[in-house]
Amino acid sequence: MSEQIENESNYSAGKYRTPDGAPADIIIFTITSEERAGAKKALPARELQVMLIERKRWPYEGKWALPGGFCNESESMEDCARRELEEETGVRDVHIEYCNVYSAPGRDPRGWIISHAFVALVNETELTGRRAADDAADVRLFPVSEAQKMELAFDHNQVLEDALAHIRHKMLTTTIAKEFLPEEFTVSELYQVIQTIVPEFADQNFLRKITSTQSRKGIIEEVLDEDGKRKMSNRYSQRAAQLYRFTGYKPQLSLYS
C-alpha cells in the first residue's frame, strides 16, 4: 500500500517531534567611559562591557549567563527577546538585531532546546535602569575580556564570541561609532571608539580614507564656525585638534578600510 500523501486535510502536527522550547538569548554590549585620574587632557578610558545575569533557578543556578527566556506561541522571537530582556534586567526600547541560532544536541539539560540570539551595542545611558528580576538573582556589566574567561551557563561562551564578531563587523561597516561620541569630535576620539570594539584595528591612512571624496563621499566632515573657519578643540590634547562630524553618508562597503 502506497504512503498517503500529506495535504491540508490530513496534516497533523502530532506526527512530528517539536522542540521542547525555543528561547531567545540577548547579548547587550556597551562602551563605558571613565576619566583618567590625574591625567590632564587625556582621552577617557573606554572599555567594552557585556551585560550578564546571575541565574537563580535550575539549571545552572548561581551561574552567570546571558539574559533570555522561552518564546510564547503568541509572539515572535524578537518580541520574546524584548520581553525577556525587560523582565530579567529592566532594560527596554533598545535596538536589537538577530545574530545566530544555536541547536547543538545537548546544549541545554532541559531537552531539545533551540535558541535564537539577538545582539545590541548601546550607549551606557540605555542601561542605567538595569535591575535583576524574574529568573535573575543579579544583573551586572562585565568587561568582555573578563566574561570571556568565565564559565557561563549553557553554550553562552560561544554565543558571546559570535555576538562579539557581529558587533566588530558592524563597527567597521556602519557609523554606529557615533552612538559613543558627541556630535562634534576629534579623529582621535573616533579612532579610540573603533579600537575599543576592534582592538586590532590600525590604519595610518585612517583620516584620509574617511574624509576622501575622490571615490566616495566622505563619512565625516570638518566642522566650521560661523566665519567659515575650521572649528578646533583641545579638550583632550595640549594642541588644538580639528573637530569633525558624521555626514550621514552610509556606503555599502567597509567604512574604515
Side-chain angles (χ1 to χ4, degrees):
M1 184 176 178
S2 61
E3 184 178 351
Q4 186 178 17
I5 298 176
E6 187 174 81
N7 55 45
E8 184 178 0
S9 64
N10 62 25
Y11 170 77
S12 172
K15 294 180 181 180
Y16 305 97
R17 170 74 194 280
T18 57
D20 299 315
D25 292 313
I26 311 96
I27 312 95
I28 303 292
F29 294 102
T30 190
I31 296 176
T32 59
S33 180
E34 185 177 348
E35 297 299 324
R36 301 177 190 271
K40 295 182 179 180
K41 293 185 177 296
L43 286 168
R46 297 183 187 268
E47 186 173 48
L48 179 62
Q49 300 200 356
V50 64
M51 187 168 64
L52 300 177
I53 64 163
E54 183 183 9
R55 291 182 58 81
K56 65 179 180 182
R57 297 180 184 176
W58 179 86
Y60 300 107
E61 180 179 356
K63 284 277 190 181
W64 289 95
L66 299 166
F70 287 96
C71 188
N72 296 323
E73 187 177 357
S74 60
E75 62 186 353
S76 68
M77 291 305 304
E78 182 174 339
D79 288 340
C80 168
R82 293 186 179 280
R83 174 180 56 77
E84 287 290 343
L85 180 63
E86 182 176 1
E87 288 180 356
E88 292 196 337
T89 70
V91 175
R92 59 180 299 178
D93 298 330
V94 296
H95 175 73
I96 59 174
E97 296 180 354
Y98 189 78
C99 181
N100 208 346
V101 61
Y102 297 87
S103 58
R107 64 170 298 275
D108 192 315
R110 293 170 293 190
W112 182 22
I113 309 293
I114 298 176
S115 181
H116 296 263
F118 293 81
V119 62
L121 176 60
V122 302
N123 191 286
E124 189 180 9
T125 57
E126 302 276 2
L127 308 180
T128 55
R130 63 185 182 274
R131 54 176 174 75
D134 199 23
D135 291 341
D138 194 4
V139 56
R140 297 182 196 173
L141 288 175
F142 287 85
V144 166
S145 58
E146 180 180 341
Q148 289 175 302
K149 299 174 184 177
M150 297 166 62
E151 186 179 341
L152 303 179
F154 306 104
D155 53 0
H156 288 183
N157 285 92
Q158 182 60 56
V159 178
L160 174 61
E161 292 300 325
D162 293 344
L164 184 58
H166 182 99
I167 65 164
R168 284 175 172 167
H169 176 74
K170 190 174 181 69
M171 178 58 66
L172 295 178
T173 56
T174 74
T175 56
I176 195 172
K178 66 183 179 182
E179 299 298 324
F180 306 96
L181 293 166
E183 184 177 352
E184 299 176 359
F185 53 86
T186 65
V187 169
S188 294
E189 289 176 272
L190 173 57
Y191 201 87
Q192 185 196 39
V193 167
I194 297 171
Q195 285 197 316
T196 301
I197 303 295
V198 191
E200 65 275 17
F201 179 80
D203 192 338
Q204 293 182 342
N205 298 313
F206 179 66
L207 178 59
R208 178 183 59 79
K209 289 180 179 179
I210 61 176
T211 57
S212 172
T213 56
Q214 295 179 2
S215 59
R216 60 185 181 183
K217 183 178 180 180
I219 299 159
I220 65 173
E221 63 185 2
E222 294 179 344
V223 178
L224 305 179
D225 63 20
E226 295 179 353
D227 298 323
K229 296 180 180 180
R230 292 177 175 179
K231 197 171 180 180
M232 312 293 284
S233 171
N234 62 353
R235 63 188 171 210
Y236 292 129
S237 62
Q238 297 296 331
R239 185 177 179 181
Q242 171 68 47
L243 285 173
Y244 292 86
R245 63 186 169 208
F246 282 98
T247 62
Y249 179 60
K250 298 178 180 179
Q252 299 301 308
L253 301 177
S254 176
L255 299 184
Y256 308 111
S257 62

